[in-house]
Amino acid sequence: MKKVLALCLAAALTLSLAACGKAESESYPVEVVGPERTSAPAPTSDPSASQTPQPGWVVAPRTDIEIVESLADHEKPQTTQLAQQDQLAFFTQDGKTGVIDLEGTVRIPAEKNVHWCGVCGITNADESEIYEQDGTVVGVGGHGSAASNVYYDTNSGTVYLEDFNWLVSWDKVQVSTNQPFIAKAVAITPKEGAGGPEDTYIDGTDTAVTIGDVQGEIIILPGGQPLDNVIYEQVNSASEGLFAAKMAGLWGFVNAATGEQAVPFVYKEVRPFNEGLAAVRTDTGWGFVNTAGSEKTVMTFENAQSASGGKAWVKTAEGWGVAQLSDWAG
Protein backbone atom coordinates (compact mmCIF):
# COMPACT_ATOMS: atom_id res chain seq x y z
CA MET A 1 0.00 0.00 0.00
CA LYS A 2 2.95 2.32 0.64
CA LYS A 3 4.12 1.92 -2.96
CA VAL A 4 0.71 2.95 -4.22
CA LEU A 5 0.77 5.90 -1.84
CA ALA A 6 4.22 6.95 -3.01
CA LEU A 7 3.06 7.00 -6.62
CA CYS A 8 0.10 9.20 -5.66
CA LEU A 9 2.32 11.64 -3.80
CA ALA A 10 4.92 11.80 -6.56
CA ALA A 11 2.16 12.74 -8.99
CA ALA A 12 1.32 15.86 -7.01
CA LEU A 13 3.57 17.04 -4.17
CA THR A 14 1.27 19.98 -3.81
CA LEU A 15 -0.71 17.49 -1.77
CA SER A 16 -3.95 18.33 -3.46
CA LEU A 17 -4.40 15.02 -5.17
CA ALA A 18 -8.16 15.01 -5.52
CA ALA A 19 -8.60 15.83 -9.19
CA CYS A 20 -11.49 16.87 -11.40
CA GLY A 21 -13.88 17.40 -8.51
CA LYS A 22 -14.26 13.69 -7.62
CA ALA A 23 -14.78 12.62 -4.03
CA GLU A 24 -11.67 11.60 -2.13
CA SER A 25 -12.81 7.99 -1.78
CA GLU A 26 -13.39 7.46 -5.49
CA SER A 27 -10.73 5.98 -7.72
CA TYR A 28 -10.93 5.40 -11.45
CA PRO A 29 -8.54 4.10 -14.06
CA VAL A 30 -6.97 6.73 -16.29
CA GLU A 31 -8.11 6.19 -19.86
CA VAL A 32 -5.37 6.19 -22.49
CA VAL A 33 -6.41 8.69 -25.11
CA GLY A 34 -6.44 7.34 -28.61
CA PRO A 35 -5.50 9.13 -31.79
CA GLU A 36 -9.00 10.44 -32.48
CA ARG A 37 -9.41 14.15 -31.89
CA THR A 38 -12.42 16.32 -32.35
CA SER A 39 -12.03 19.58 -34.19
CA ALA A 40 -11.56 22.67 -32.06
CA PRO A 41 -14.24 25.31 -31.92
CA ALA A 42 -13.47 28.25 -34.17
CA PRO A 43 -11.61 30.91 -32.13
CA THR A 44 -13.69 34.00 -31.58
CA SER A 45 -12.41 37.51 -31.06
CA ASP A 46 -13.90 39.95 -28.59
CA PRO A 47 -17.02 41.39 -30.24
CA SER A 48 -17.29 44.34 -27.88
CA ALA A 49 -13.72 45.56 -27.37
CA SER A 50 -12.29 48.27 -29.55
CA GLN A 51 -10.34 47.06 -32.57
CA THR A 52 -7.83 49.86 -31.99
CA PRO A 53 -6.95 49.76 -28.28
CA GLN A 54 -5.60 52.87 -26.63
CA PRO A 55 -1.87 53.09 -25.84
CA GLY A 56 -0.93 50.70 -23.06
CA TRP A 57 -3.48 48.08 -24.06
CA VAL A 58 -3.04 44.96 -26.17
CA VAL A 59 -6.73 44.21 -25.70
CA ALA A 60 -9.00 47.10 -24.75
CA PRO A 61 -10.99 46.72 -21.51
CA ARG A 62 -14.37 45.03 -21.70
CA THR A 63 -17.13 44.58 -19.15
CA ASP A 64 -18.97 41.51 -20.44
CA ILE A 65 -16.49 38.99 -18.99
CA GLU A 66 -14.65 38.46 -15.71
CA ILE A 67 -11.11 37.07 -15.78
CA VAL A 68 -10.83 34.68 -12.84
CA GLU A 69 -7.43 33.00 -13.18
CA SER A 70 -4.36 32.79 -15.38
CA LEU A 71 -3.35 29.25 -16.29
CA ALA A 72 0.25 30.38 -15.74
CA ASP A 73 -0.50 29.81 -12.04
CA HIS A 74 -0.67 26.03 -12.53
CA GLU A 75 1.95 23.34 -13.05
CA LYS A 76 1.85 21.54 -16.38
CA PRO A 77 -0.87 18.85 -16.40
CA GLN A 78 0.16 15.22 -16.72
CA THR A 79 -1.86 14.13 -19.73
CA THR A 80 -2.05 17.14 -22.08
CA GLN A 81 0.56 19.43 -23.61
CA LEU A 82 -0.98 22.92 -23.32
CA ALA A 83 2.00 24.41 -25.12
CA GLN A 84 0.59 27.94 -24.70
CA GLN A 85 -0.61 27.48 -21.13
CA ASP A 86 0.95 30.73 -19.87
CA GLN A 87 -1.00 32.66 -22.50
CA LEU A 88 -4.38 31.37 -21.34
CA ALA A 89 -6.85 32.43 -18.67
CA PHE A 90 -10.21 31.31 -17.38
CA PHE A 91 -13.02 33.80 -17.84
CA THR A 92 -16.64 33.72 -16.71
CA GLN A 93 -19.62 34.89 -18.71
CA ASP A 94 -23.28 34.34 -17.86
CA GLY A 95 -22.28 32.16 -14.93
CA LYS A 96 -20.11 29.74 -16.94
CA THR A 97 -16.36 29.44 -17.54
CA GLY A 98 -14.35 29.46 -20.75
CA VAL A 99 -10.74 30.05 -21.84
CA ILE A 100 -9.36 33.21 -23.47
CA ASP A 101 -5.80 34.13 -24.52
CA LEU A 102 -3.72 37.29 -24.17
CA GLU A 103 -4.79 38.49 -27.60
CA GLY A 104 -8.42 38.48 -26.54
CA THR A 105 -9.28 35.38 -28.58
CA VAL A 106 -11.73 32.98 -26.96
CA ARG A 107 -10.17 29.52 -27.23
CA ILE A 108 -12.95 27.65 -25.43
CA PRO A 109 -16.39 29.30 -25.17
CA ALA A 110 -17.92 29.81 -21.74
CA GLU A 111 -20.82 27.53 -22.63
CA LYS A 112 -18.39 24.60 -22.19
CA ASN A 113 -18.11 25.56 -18.50
CA VAL A 114 -14.56 24.29 -18.00
CA HIS A 115 -12.33 24.04 -14.93
CA TRP A 116 -8.76 23.04 -14.07
CA CYS A 117 -7.57 19.54 -13.20
CA GLY A 118 -3.97 18.91 -12.16
CA VAL A 119 -3.91 15.64 -14.11
CA CYS A 120 -5.76 16.44 -17.34
CA GLY A 121 -5.56 20.25 -17.44
CA ILE A 122 -8.66 21.89 -18.92
CA THR A 123 -11.81 19.80 -18.63
CA ASN A 124 -15.52 20.55 -18.88
CA ALA A 125 -18.13 20.45 -16.12
CA ASP A 126 -19.08 16.76 -16.42
CA GLU A 127 -15.50 15.73 -17.22
CA SER A 128 -16.49 14.21 -20.56
CA GLU A 129 -13.92 16.27 -22.47
CA ILE A 130 -10.26 17.24 -22.00
CA TYR A 131 -9.00 20.16 -24.10
CA GLU A 132 -5.75 21.30 -25.63
CA GLN A 133 -4.92 25.01 -25.83
CA ASP A 134 -6.69 25.44 -29.18
CA GLY A 135 -9.92 23.96 -27.85
CA THR A 136 -9.39 20.56 -29.46
CA VAL A 137 -10.92 17.70 -27.46
CA VAL A 138 -8.27 15.03 -26.85
CA GLY A 139 -9.89 12.66 -24.36
CA VAL A 140 -12.13 12.28 -21.34
CA GLY A 141 -11.57 12.95 -17.64
CA GLY A 142 -13.33 11.36 -14.71
CA HIS A 143 -10.31 9.59 -13.21
CA GLY A 144 -9.95 10.97 -9.69
CA SER A 145 -7.49 9.84 -7.02
CA ALA A 146 -7.33 9.74 -3.27
CA ALA A 147 -6.21 12.76 -1.28
CA SER A 148 -3.28 12.47 1.10
CA ASN A 149 -1.97 14.75 3.84
CA VAL A 150 1.59 15.45 4.88
CA TYR A 151 2.03 16.50 8.51
CA TYR A 152 4.90 18.05 10.41
CA ASP A 153 4.68 17.00 14.06
CA THR A 154 5.63 20.02 16.16
CA ASN A 155 6.33 17.74 19.14
CA SER A 156 8.85 15.41 17.53
CA GLY A 157 9.92 17.32 14.42
CA THR A 158 8.96 14.29 12.31
CA VAL A 159 7.29 14.52 8.92
CA TYR A 160 4.54 11.97 8.34
CA LEU A 161 2.57 10.99 5.28
CA GLU A 162 -1.02 9.97 6.02
CA ASP A 163 -1.90 6.59 4.54
CA PHE A 164 -5.54 5.96 5.43
CA ASN A 165 -5.35 5.17 9.18
CA TRP A 166 -1.57 5.14 9.32
CA LEU A 167 1.07 7.84 9.66
CA VAL A 168 4.22 6.83 7.76
CA SER A 169 7.42 8.68 8.63
CA TRP A 170 9.00 10.48 5.68
CA ASP A 171 12.18 8.40 5.80
CA LYS A 172 10.08 5.31 5.02
CA VAL A 173 8.15 6.86 2.14
CA GLN A 174 9.46 5.87 -1.27
CA VAL A 175 9.08 9.21 -3.04
CA SER A 176 11.56 10.58 -5.54
CA THR A 177 11.64 14.37 -5.32
CA ASN A 178 14.33 17.02 -5.31
CA GLN A 179 11.96 19.89 -4.57
CA PRO A 180 10.89 21.34 -1.22
CA PHE A 181 7.23 20.78 -0.38
CA ILE A 182 4.60 21.98 2.08
CA ALA A 183 3.39 20.19 5.22
CA LYS A 184 0.65 20.99 7.72
CA ALA A 185 2.04 21.79 11.16
CA VAL A 186 0.21 19.84 13.87
CA ALA A 187 0.84 18.38 17.30
CA ILE A 188 0.65 14.57 17.25
CA THR A 189 0.11 13.00 20.68
CA PRO A 190 -0.61 9.47 21.96
CA LYS A 191 -4.32 8.85 22.37
CA GLU A 192 -5.60 8.12 25.84
CA GLY A 193 -7.03 4.65 26.32
CA ALA A 194 -7.08 1.68 23.97
CA GLY A 195 -7.09 2.37 20.28
CA GLY A 196 -9.85 1.21 17.98
CA PRO A 197 -10.13 0.33 14.28
CA GLU A 198 -11.15 3.89 13.38
CA ASP A 199 -8.17 5.50 15.09
CA THR A 200 -4.96 6.69 13.44
CA TYR A 201 -1.72 4.85 14.26
CA ILE A 202 1.99 5.43 13.80
CA ASP A 203 3.12 2.98 11.13
CA GLY A 204 4.89 -0.07 12.53
CA THR A 205 3.55 0.43 16.05
CA ASP A 206 0.38 -0.20 18.03
CA THR A 207 0.31 3.43 19.14
CA ALA A 208 -2.97 5.21 18.46
CA VAL A 209 -2.48 8.96 18.15
CA THR A 210 -4.47 12.16 18.04
CA ILE A 211 -3.70 14.70 15.33
CA GLY A 212 -4.19 18.21 16.69
CA ASP A 213 -5.55 21.25 14.92
CA VAL A 214 -3.54 22.64 12.02
CA GLN A 215 -1.30 25.44 13.36
CA GLY A 216 -0.16 26.59 9.94
CA GLU A 217 2.07 25.36 7.15
CA ILE A 218 5.80 24.73 6.98
CA ILE A 219 8.23 24.29 4.09
CA ILE A 220 10.00 20.91 4.12
CA LEU A 221 13.20 19.98 2.28
CA PRO A 222 13.23 16.80 0.13
CA GLY A 223 14.98 14.88 2.91
CA GLY A 224 12.20 15.64 5.39
CA GLN A 225 13.79 18.50 7.36
CA PRO A 226 12.20 21.96 7.74
CA LEU A 227 13.64 24.59 5.40
CA ASP A 228 13.60 27.45 7.90
CA ASN A 229 11.67 26.17 10.96
CA VAL A 230 9.04 28.87 10.42
CA ILE A 231 5.37 27.96 10.66
CA TYR A 232 3.53 30.28 8.28
CA GLU A 233 -0.19 30.96 8.27
CA GLN A 234 -0.28 29.67 4.70
CA VAL A 235 2.18 28.66 1.99
CA ASN A 236 1.51 28.31 -1.72
CA SER A 237 3.45 26.10 -4.12
CA ALA A 238 6.79 27.48 -5.24
CA SER A 239 7.17 29.27 -8.57
CA GLU A 240 10.52 30.32 -10.03
CA GLY A 241 12.27 29.31 -6.82
CA LEU A 242 10.04 31.33 -4.49
CA PHE A 243 7.29 30.21 -2.11
CA ALA A 244 4.44 32.65 -1.52
CA ALA A 245 3.89 32.68 2.24
CA LYS A 246 1.60 34.51 4.67
CA MET A 247 2.55 35.89 8.07
CA ALA A 248 0.52 38.17 10.37
CA GLY A 249 -2.13 38.44 7.69
CA LEU A 250 0.23 39.66 4.95
CA TRP A 251 1.92 37.90 2.04
CA GLY A 252 5.52 37.84 0.86
CA PHE A 253 7.90 35.43 -0.85
CA VAL A 254 10.50 33.07 0.60
CA ASN A 255 13.52 31.66 -1.23
CA ALA A 256 12.88 27.94 -1.75
CA ALA A 257 16.58 27.08 -1.41
CA THR A 258 17.57 29.14 1.63
CA GLY A 259 14.35 30.10 3.41
CA GLU A 260 15.39 33.76 3.32
CA GLN A 261 12.82 36.46 2.70
CA ALA A 262 12.99 37.47 -0.96
CA VAL A 263 9.99 39.81 -1.09
CA PRO A 264 8.77 41.45 2.14
CA PHE A 265 5.54 40.41 3.85
CA VAL A 266 3.56 43.55 3.03
CA TYR A 267 0.95 42.44 0.47
CA LYS A 268 -2.73 41.65 0.96
CA GLU A 269 -2.80 39.11 -1.88
CA VAL A 270 -0.26 37.69 -4.30
CA ARG A 271 -0.16 35.58 -7.44
CA PRO A 272 2.71 33.18 -8.32
CA PHE A 273 5.79 34.47 -10.12
CA ASN A 274 5.90 33.93 -13.87
CA GLU A 275 8.72 35.21 -16.09
CA GLY A 276 10.13 37.21 -13.19
CA LEU A 277 6.95 39.10 -12.30
CA ALA A 278 4.21 38.52 -9.72
CA ALA A 279 0.89 40.31 -9.38
CA VAL A 280 0.42 41.65 -5.82
CA ARG A 281 -2.23 43.71 -4.02
CA THR A 282 -1.37 46.71 -1.86
CA ASP A 283 -3.54 49.27 -0.05
CA THR A 284 -3.80 51.22 -3.32
CA GLY A 285 -4.55 48.29 -5.62
CA TRP A 286 -2.90 45.62 -7.72
CA GLY A 287 0.41 45.87 -9.57
CA PHE A 288 3.51 43.85 -10.40
CA VAL A 289 6.82 43.28 -8.58
CA ASN A 290 10.00 41.48 -9.61
CA THR A 291 11.75 38.73 -7.65
CA ALA A 292 13.71 41.33 -5.67
CA GLY A 293 10.47 42.96 -4.53
CA SER A 294 10.79 46.09 -6.68
CA GLU A 295 7.52 47.51 -7.99
CA LYS A 296 7.61 47.46 -11.79
CA THR A 297 4.20 48.96 -12.58
CA VAL A 298 1.63 51.27 -11.09
CA MET A 299 -0.07 49.70 -8.07
CA THR A 300 -3.58 50.94 -8.82
CA PHE A 301 -5.24 48.22 -10.91
CA GLU A 302 -8.52 46.94 -9.49
CA ASN A 303 -7.29 43.39 -10.13
CA ALA A 304 -4.51 41.64 -12.04
CA GLN A 305 -3.59 38.14 -13.20
CA SER A 306 -0.17 36.61 -13.82
CA ALA A 307 1.95 38.06 -16.61
CA SER A 308 3.40 36.37 -19.69
CA GLY A 309 5.46 37.94 -22.43
CA GLY A 310 5.27 41.33 -20.74
CA LYS A 311 1.46 41.30 -20.91
CA ALA A 312 -1.25 40.53 -18.37
CA TRP A 313 -4.98 40.68 -17.86
CA VAL A 314 -5.69 43.62 -15.54
CA LYS A 315 -8.91 45.26 -14.39
CA THR A 316 -9.66 48.98 -14.32
CA ALA A 317 -12.89 50.94 -13.97
CA GLU A 318 -13.46 50.24 -17.68
CA GLY A 319 -13.30 46.46 -17.22
CA TRP A 320 -10.81 43.67 -17.94
CA GLY A 321 -8.19 44.20 -20.65
CA VAL A 322 -4.71 43.00 -21.57
CA ALA A 323 -2.09 45.58 -20.59
CA GLN A 324 1.36 46.01 -22.09
CA LEU A 325 3.06 46.25 -18.72
CA SER A 326 6.04 48.29 -19.92
CA ASP A 327 3.58 51.11 -20.61
CA TRP A 328 2.37 51.08 -17.00
CA ALA A 329 5.65 51.66 -15.20
CA GLY A 330 5.27 53.09 -11.71
Side-chain angles (χ1 to χ4, degrees), residues 17-305:
L17 303 181
C20 289
K22 291 293 181 184
E24 292 184 2
S25 61
E26 291 182 300
S27 180
Y28 304 90
V30 176
E31 179 176 337
V32 178
V33 177
E36 295 184 0
R37 297 163 66 98
T38 66
S39 59
T44 58
S45 60
D46 172 9
S48 60
S50 168
Q51 297 302 309
T52 55
Q54 296 178 356
W57 296 103
V58 178
V59 176
R62 53 187 293 190
T63 59
D64 62 319
I65 65 172
E66 186 77 13
I67 304 297
V68 294
E69 183 181 36
S70 169
L71 299 196
D73 295 353
H74 293 286
E75 296 290 334
K76 285 287 185 182
Q78 298 176 37
T79 60
T80 48
Q81 297 299 314
L82 289 183
Q84 297 175 321
Q85 181 175 327
D86 288 2
Q87 298 284 312
L88 305 178
F90 286 132
F91 73 95
T92 57
Q93 190 173 42
D94 298 327
K96 295 183 178 181
T97 304
V99 174
I100 193 169
D101 65 20
L102 285 171
E103 300 299 325
T105 301
V106 173
R107 298 293 189 90
I108 301 173
E111 63 190 44
K112 292 293 186 178
N113 204 20
V114 296
H115 63 270
W116 182 260
C117 164
V119 176
C120 52
I122 305 169
T123 183
N124 63 340
D126 65 2
E127 303 171 7
S128 61
E129 296 177 341
I130 298 174
Y131 303 91
E132 279 293 357
Q133 69 275 352
D134 60 357
T136 302
V137 177
V138 293
V140 297
H143 47 84
S145 61
S148 206
N149 289 312
V150 172
Y151 294 115
Y152 172 79
D153 179 15
T154 57
N155 290 326
S156 67
T158 304
V159 176
Y160 291 102
L161 187 65
E162 186 178 42
D163 180 3
F164 297 97
N165 291 81
W166 297 95
L167 295 180
V168 184
S169 62
W170 189 252
D171 59 355
K172 296 180 180 179
V173 177
Q174 301 300 310
V175 175
S176 176
T177 178
N178 59 3
Q179 299 297 322
F181 55 94
I182 304 165
K184 298 176 181 179
V186 298
I188 299 175
T189 55
K191 184 177 179 180
E192 296 182 2
E198 301 301 320
D199 288 324
T200 298
Y201 292 82
I202 301 294
D203 182 53
T205 74
D206 295 326
T207 304
V209 296
T210 298
I211 300 174
D213 294 336
V214 176
Q215 303 170 23
E217 295 183 317
I218 187 169
I219 302 169
I220 303 295
L221 293 169
Q225 304 81 28
L227 171 66
D228 52 10
N229 290 306
V230 177
I231 297 175
Y232 299 96
E233 293 174 23
Q234 188 176 340
V235 183
N236 292 342
S237 298
S239 58
E240 300 192 354
L242 298 174
F243 280 99
K246 187 178 183 181
M247 291 184 67
L250 295 173
W251 288 88
F253 289 87
V254 175
N255 188 295
T258 65
E260 296 177 350
Q261 175 184 287
V263 177
F265 291 82
V266 296
Y267 298 108
K268 294 186 174 183
E269 293 182 73
V270 297
R271 313 269 191 232
F273 271 97
N274 191 54
E275 298 180 2
L277 293 174
V280 299
R281 183 166 73 91
T282 68
D283 288 332
T284 59
W286 285 86
F288 292 83
V289 298
N290 63 15
T291 55
S294 298
E295 297 179 356
K296 305 304 291 183
T297 68
V298 298
M299 309 299 287
T300 55
F301 295 118
E302 291 185 7
N303 207 331
Q305 300 296 337

